[in-house]
C-alpha cells in the first residue's frame, strides 16, 4: 500500500495552550468547559496534534472518551483551591507574568520530582555530574537526549510533566553524546541503554544516529540492549511511515540489529484504541520488519483504562500484532495523581481479572508496579496470613540488586495508592529495605553502589 493511501494527515500540526481557540473540534463544547480546560492548561503541560484529534478521539463520546482524557486537560486535574485561584486570575485578565507565577506555585505543590530522581540518580563522569543521564539500577542507564525533551502530544497524567512546563532548571537534558558513550565505556556492568524523554522519536534520524550508531563500537559491546521509550506509535505513527526521514530511521534500527544489538521500542499504549488506525498498524509492521522488538507498557489510570476488559483487549491486541506486553504501572505520586489514581487493591484486581482473560503470551506484563524511590515494587496480591490481611509485595527492580525478588508484606489498606502509604505487616517497625534506603538517601550514594 502506498503511504498516501493510509491517511492524509501526514503534515504534523500541533496545538498548545496558546492555540486553544484554533482547535476546531473544541468549538462545539460549552464555553464553560473550554474555559476550565484552559485553566488547567496554564498549570499542567498541554500539547495535542491534529492526528490525535481526528483519528483517535471519538468526539461523540467526549468528555468520557479515553483519548480525550489522555490528552485534554480536565477540571478535576487540579485541587479545587488551585483551580479557583488560576480561574480567578484568568477571569480578571491578569498579566502573563502573574499567571506564570501562580502556575509555578501550584506546580511546586504537585511533587514535580517524585522518587528522588534529581538527587539520587545522577551519575558522575571523571568526578563531574553527568546531566541527562540517570543510573539507578546497575544494568540499565536512562539517557535523556536534549533534542528529545518534548513529545508529539502530551499525556495529561505524565509523570515527567515538570520537564515540559517551561522551567529549564527542571530538565534532565543531555547535550552531549560523547559523554554518554564515555560513561558507558567505563561501566561494563551496563547491559541496557534506555533512551527516553520526552519522546526520543521527535528527533530527526540524524540526531538519533549520533547517539545510537557509536554503540556498535567494540568498547561498547557490553551494551547489548538499546531500548527507546516512545509514545510515537500512538501520537505520530507517521514518524515510521511518511516522515521524510522515516526510511532512514528504519535503516538505523536495522543496522543496530545487524550489529548484534537487541533493539526494543518501549511503546506506551494506554488503550487498545491507540493501536487501531491503519497507519499505526503500518508503523508497527515496518518497525518489526527491521528486527527490532516492540514491548509495551502503560500506567493504570482512572478515567482512561481502570477496567479489566480494556487491559485484556489491550494485551490481546498487542500479542496479535506481535508486540510484547512488559509493564503495568501504578500512576506515580506526582502532578494530577488525585484525578487518575486507583487504590492499589483495585489495581491488583484489574491486573488479575485482565490476566485471567488472556493466553500465556499476554501474561508477560508485570505489575501493577510502583516506580518508587527504593525501586520498582510489584503488588503480587492480597492474602490473609495468621488472621492478618496483608499485601504481598516484591521488588522487580531495586536500588540494591539484593532486594529483588524478596517477598515482603504490608498491612492491608483499602485506600492506599502508593508505597509511602503502606505500613509493614505483623507489627514490624520497618520494611526490610528501609534502613539501607535511608542511609543511601543521606549519603546520596549512587555511583559507588552501581560502579
Ligand atoms: C524501570 C526503570 C528502568 C528499567 O528497569 P528494567 O527492570 O530493566 O525494565 C531503569 N531505570 C529506571 C529509573 C527505571 O524506573
Amino acid at each position: 500500500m502506498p503511504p498516501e493511501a493510509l491517511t492524509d494527515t501526514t503534515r504534523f500540526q500541533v496545538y498548545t495552550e496558546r492555540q486553544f481557540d484554533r482547535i476546531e473540534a473544541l468549538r462545539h463544547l460549552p464555553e464553560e468547559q473550554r474555559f476550565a480546560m484552559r485553566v488547567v492548561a496554564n498549570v499542567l503541560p498541554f500539547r495535542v496534534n491534529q492526528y490525535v484529534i481526528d483519528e483517535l478521539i471519538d468526539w461523540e463520546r467526549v468528555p468520557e472518551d479515553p483519548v480525550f482524557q489522555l490528552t485534554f486537560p480536565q477540571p478535576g486535574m487540579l485541587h479545587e483551591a488551585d483551580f479557583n485561584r488560576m480561574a480567578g486570575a484568568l477571569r480578571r485578565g491578569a498579566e502573563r507574568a502573574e499567571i506564570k507565577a501562580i502556575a509555578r506555585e501550584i506546580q511546586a505543590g504537585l511533587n514535580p520530582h517524585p522518587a528522588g530522581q534529581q538527587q539520587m540518580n545522577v551519575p558522575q563522569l571523571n568526578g563531574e555530574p553527568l546531566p541527562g543521564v540517570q543510573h539507578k539500577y546497575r544494568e540499565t542507564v536512562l539517557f535523556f537526549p536534549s533534542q528529545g525533551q518534548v513529545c508529539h502530544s502530551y499525556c495529561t497524567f505524565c509523570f515527567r510533566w515538570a520537564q515540559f512546563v517551561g522551567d529549564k532548571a527542571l530538565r534532565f537534558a543531555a547535550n552531549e553524546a560523547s559523554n554518554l558513550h564515555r560513561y558507558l565505556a567505563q561501566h561494563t556492568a551496563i547491559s541496557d541503554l534506555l533512551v527516553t524523554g520526552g519522546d526520543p522519536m521527535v528527533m530527526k534520524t540524524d540526531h538519533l544516529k549520533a547517539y545510537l550508531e557509536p554503540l556498535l563500537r567494540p568498547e561498547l559491546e557490553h551494551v547489548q540492549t538499546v531500548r527507546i521509550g516512545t509514545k510515537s506509535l500512538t501520537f505520530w505513527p507517521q514518524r515510521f511511515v511518511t516522515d521524510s526521514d522515516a526510511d532512514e530511521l528504519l535503516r538505523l534500527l536495522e543496522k543496530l540489529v545487524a550489529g548484534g544489538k537487541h533493539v526494543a521500542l518501549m511503546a506506551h499504549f494506554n488503550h487498545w484504541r491507540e493501536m487501531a488506525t491503519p497507519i499505526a498498524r503500518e508503523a508497527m509492521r515496518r518497525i518489526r520488519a527491521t528486527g527490532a522488538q516492540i514491548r509495551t507498557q502503560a500506567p493504570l489510570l482512572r478515567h482512561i483504562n481502570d477496567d479489566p476488559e480494556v487491559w485484556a483487549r489491550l494485551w490481546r491486541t498487542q500479542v496479535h500484532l506481535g508486540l510484547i506486553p512488559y509493564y503495568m504501572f501504578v500512576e506515580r505520586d506526582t502532578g494530577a495523581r488525585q484525578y487518575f489514581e486507583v487504590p492499589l487493591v483495585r489495581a491488583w484486581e484489574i491486573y488479575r481479572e485482565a490476566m485471567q482473560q488472556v493466553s500465556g503470551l499476554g501474561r508477560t506484563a508485570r505489575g501493577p508496579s510502583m516506580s518508587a524511590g527504593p525501586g520498582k515494587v510489584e503488588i503480587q496480591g492480597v492474602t490473609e496470613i495468621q488472621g492478618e490481611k496483608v499485601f504481598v509485595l516484591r521488588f522487580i527492580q531495586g536500588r540494591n540488586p539484593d532486594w529483588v525478588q524478596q517477598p515482603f508484606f504490608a498491612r492491608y489498606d483499602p485506600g492506599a495508592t502508593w508505597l509511602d502509604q503502606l505500613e509493614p505487616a505483623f507489627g514490624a517497625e520497618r520494611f526490610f529495605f528501609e534502613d539501607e534506603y535511608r542511609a543511601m538517601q543521606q549519603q546520596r550514594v549512587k555511583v559507588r553502589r552501581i560502579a
Side-chain angles (χ1 to χ4, degrees):
M1 204 171 359
E4 307 79 66
L6 291 167
T7 173
D8 57 1
T9 55
T10 57
R11 197 175 64 87
F12 186 70
Q13 158 100 43
V14 73
Y15 304 92
T16 67
E17 158 260 322
R18 286 166 189 242
Q19 292 103 34
F20 223 86
D21 294 330
R22 296 196 0 228
I23 303 174
E24 270 295 319
L26 293 183
R27 298 209 176 133
H28 311 289
L29 299 181
E31 173 54 34
E32 197 189 343
Q33 192 182 347
R34 279 173 25 208
F35 176 73
M37 289 161 81
R38 270 186 43 226
V39 171
V40 179
N42 271 283
V43 178
L44 296 169
F46 170 69
R47 186 176 156 91
V48 69
N49 71 62
Q50 198 67 48
Y51 167 75
V52 175
I53 294 171
D54 291 345
E55 310 276 330
L56 300 185
I57 296 176
D58 178 355
W59 289 91
E60 304 278 298
R61 296 180 41 192
V62 163
E64 285 79 29
D65 179 82
V67 182
F68 182 71
Q69 293 281 332
L70 167 73
T71 49
F72 280 88
Q74 309 297 325
M77 290 177 186
L78 294 181
H79 297 286
E80 202 178 328
D82 291 338
F83 183 93
N84 291 339
R85 195 171 164 215
M86 181 56 85
L90 290 177
R91 272 206 196 92
R92 69 183 144 78
E95 300 277 338
R96 190 96 200 136
E98 192 194 339
I99 302 275
K100 289 227 151 171
I102 294 171
R104 292 273 167 271
E105 280 180 40
I106 299 174
Q107 287 157 3
L110 297 175
N111 189 25
H113 295 287
Q117 324 187 66
Q118 272 197 324
Q119 300 81 29
M120 289 189 74
N121 305 339
V122 179
Q124 298 191 353
L125 179 67
N126 306 326
E128 297 290 324
L130 187 54
V133 177
Q134 276 189 47
H135 194 179
K136 179 170 176 178
Y137 306 128
R138 188 172 49 193
E139 60 284 347
T140 305
V141 155
L142 304 193
F143 178 59
F144 299 73
S146 56
Q147 303 92 340
Q149 298 312 303
V150 55
C151 299
H152 293 104
S153 289
Y154 288 149
C155 299
T156 40
F157 54 82
C158 181
F159 74 93
R160 292 199 177 129
W161 62 276
Q163 285 163 252
F164 307 129
V165 290
D167 185 343
K168 290 220 165 73
L170 294 179
R171 294 187 192 174
F172 308 102
N175 285 309
E176 272 218 71
S178 60
N179 280 342
L180 168 72
H181 299 136
R182 240 173 270 146
Y183 183 79
L184 294 173
Q186 287 177 10
H187 295 83
T188 52
I190 299 168
S191 60
D192 287 43
L193 172 66
L194 206 170
V195 186
T196 182
D199 194 324
M201 286 302 174
V202 302
M203 287 197 279
K204 292 278 170 234
T205 302
D206 280 347
H207 287 136
L208 277 166
K209 230 182 234 173
Y211 291 119
L212 300 183
E213 248 178 19
L215 300 173
L216 295 170
R217 291 184 201 142
E219 71 267 25
L220 294 178
E221 205 187 335
H222 56 281
V223 184
Q224 292 168 3
T225 302
V226 183
R227 299 190 227 174
I228 304 172
T230 187
K231 191 140 178 114
S232 56
L233 284 169
T234 294
F235 286 155
W236 194 244
Q238 290 83 342
R239 180 69 192 90
F240 306 93
V241 185
T242 55
D243 275 10
S244 60
D245 57 353
D247 290 348
E248 212 185 328
L249 171 61
L250 298 171
R251 296 298 83 75
L252 171 63
L253 300 182
E254 238 163 39
K255 187 168 176 184
L256 291 167
V257 172
K261 303 296 182 191
H262 176 142
V263 178
L265 255 76
M266 307 304 290
H268 177 185
F269 292 114
N270 302 92
H271 198 281
W272 47 263
R273 281 256 304 280
E274 297 165 45
M275 300 184 289
T277 65
I279 190 144
R281 300 272 166 121
E282 176 64 3
M284 292 176 215
R285 194 195 61 74
R286 295 185 115 214
I287 292 162
R288 293 196 348 104
T290 69
Q293 302 287 347
I294 305 174
R295 293 176 188 270
T296 62
Q297 52 190 24
L300 168 58
L301 306 147
R302 196 150 58 89
H303 303 291
I304 294 179
N305 61 15
D306 57 335
D307 176 352
E309 307 306 315
V310 169
W311 282 89
R313 182 157 171 192
L314 182 76
W315 288 331
R316 253 189 259 117
T317 307
Q318 290 170 353
V319 170
H320 179 203
L321 297 172
L323 282 48
I324 306 164
Y326 188 59
Y327 276 135
M328 174 201 269
F329 291 118
V330 176
E331 169 65 354
R332 282 199 189 190
D333 53 341
T334 180
R337 62 100 61 105
Q338 100 282 345
Y339 184 77
F340 291 111
E341 69 189 359
V342 173
L344 297 175
V345 60
R346 183 63 196 141
W348 166 67
E349 286 166 0
I350 290 170
Y351 176 83
R352 183 166 173 264
E353 286 170 35
M355 278 284 155
Q356 290 171 351
Q357 299 179 46
V358 300
S359 85
L361 293 189
R363 294 184 191 181
T364 50
R366 287 168 301 164
S369 167
M370 294 176 271
S371 293
K376 281 190 170 65
V377 176
E378 183 187 74
I379 301 128
Q380 295 214 277
V382 174
T383 191
E384 205 172 292
I385 298 176
Q386 300 206 330
E388 184 172 340
K389 199 170 179 186
V390 295
F391 282 115
V392 185
L393 306 161
R394 67 157 176 161
F395 278 96
I396 300 174
Q397 262 297 5
R399 218 173 259 281
N400 178 350
D402 193 45
W403 300 345
V404 173
Q405 299 288 10
Q406 291 195 43
F408 64 105
F409 303 92
R411 233 187 280 157
Y412 177 70
D413 175 348
T417 57
W418 197 250
L419 185 63
D420 62 1
Q421 296 159 8
L422 296 179
E423 298 289 339
F426 313 124
E429 301 236 315
R430 284 181 289 280
F431 291 118
F432 78 92
F433 56 89
E434 264 185 283
D435 288 341
E436 199 181 342
Y437 177 56
R438 250 183 232 128
M440 288 174 181
Q441 280 176 307
Q442 270 154 24
Q443 296 169 49
R444 307 208 165 161
V445 175
K446 64 270 168 180
V447 188
R448 254 166 301 152
R449 173 160 298 286
I450 40 199

